[in-house]
Amino acid sequence: MKTALTIAGSDSGGGAGVQADLKAFSALGVYGMSVITAVTAQNTVEVRSVQMLDISIIRDQIAAIFEDLPVDAVKIGMLGSAEIVKTVAEELNKYKPKQIILDPVMVSKGGHHLLLTDAIQSLKEKLLPVVTLVTPNIPEAECLTNTKIENIEDMYQACRNLKELGAKSVLLKGGHLEGDPNDLFFDGMQFTWLKGKRIHTKNVHGTGCTLSSAITAYIAKGYSLQEAVKAGKFYITKAIQYSINIGSGHGPTHHFFDIYEKAGLLERKEKKGEL
């Protein structure tokens, strides 16, 4: 079995962060491992509080995994502080996994800042140059490049700017622009559009985490980067289509839609009005 490691924060509500990553890994047939960088008290409505973990335990988690278990691909999510960014970058440079996917998590769906301001520069300098792929949404790409992204041409330029900052390849998610959520993939040389259809639902908690972890799982299974990005886009679209309507705010995506679909559970739920 292929393996994937997530380095990210814990979401007590289960819809995003490490919990979402491990669900996506499992759904796609990859053995998941985790390094927790922070513990968040959150649900579908809010992030109530955040506790960054001590650097020593983060370093020990990484060492414990790499010194015993095979790691086919790594996904990086919430890091929180400049010190954690620096530590993760140092450890990855030490163990040198071949495939690293960075989801530059900065702000939660409810608007809570999950990356301290002083950590942004550290992320740009220490992590962007070592990752295989970075997967920002529009606000995250604006923050990383210090430019405004308002149209398609701006998306092209943002990808080029991220390449200049050291990223080998970029998946710029276009869901924050008007119209359908079309994403732009830049492999460092060529651009490819991944077209999408907007699904009108409030239940989109953890979409960025889930997409990046799905891409990581496909890469771990041996897909090429472009194949993994396309397959990940399909997976997150279906997960949103069958998103779970729980909680009072933004419900989570459905990581195991395929299993439920094959078992006939999605159809029965739809008839009962539960989805």
Side-chain angles (χ1 to χ4, degrees), residues 81-87 89 117-129:
S81 71
E83 191 177 18
I84 294 175
V85 171
K86 179 175 177 289
T87 298
T117 303
D118 66 340
I120 296 172
Q121 189 61 33
S122 183
L123 187 143
K124 289 163 65 172
E125 293 176 357
K126 299 184 182 302
L127 269 184
L128 275 184

Side-chain angles (χ1 to χ4, degrees), residues 211-270:
L211 172 59
S212 56
S213 55
I215 293 170
T216 305
Y218 284 119
I219 288 176
K221 292 167 72 171
Y223 285 48
S224 70
L225 191 55
Q226 185 163 333
E227 289 171 340
V229 167
K230 288 181 178 179
K233 173 79 170 179
F234 176 81
Y235 175 81
I236 190 57
T237 300
K238 293 283 283 186
I240 295 172
Q241 181 182 346
Y242 292 114
S243 60
I244 303 171
N245 189 30
I246 58 174
S248 304
H250 298 286
T253 64
H254 198 318
H255 298 88
F256 299 102
F257 65 84
D258 190 45
I259 296 171
Y260 278 61
E261 197 169 43
K262 288 175 180 176
L265 296 174
L266 288 182
E267 182 181 2
R268 288 200 294 273
K269 280 198 165 201
E270 287 172 335

Side-chain angles (χ1 to χ4, degrees), residues 48-102:
R48 191 162 298 183
S49 60
V50 176
Q51 177 66 60
M52 306 293 179
L53 293 195
D54 188 82
I55 293 302
S56 62
I57 188 64
I58 294 173
R59 198 182 298 276
D60 280 350
Q61 288 179 84
I62 296 172
I65 290 168
F66 278 98
E67 290 174 11
D68 178 55
L69 298 162
V71 180
D72 292 307
V74 176
K75 174 261 171 80
I76 303 172
M78 175 190 171
L79 296 178
S81 71
E83 191 177 18
I84 294 175
V85 171
K86 179 175 177 289
T87 298
V88 169
E90 287 174 352
E91 294 303 304
L92 292 179
N93 279 317
K94 176 180 177 181
Y95 293 106
K96 301 187 183 307
K98 292 182 179 179
Q99 307 287 354
I100 306 172
I101 311 305
L102 172 63

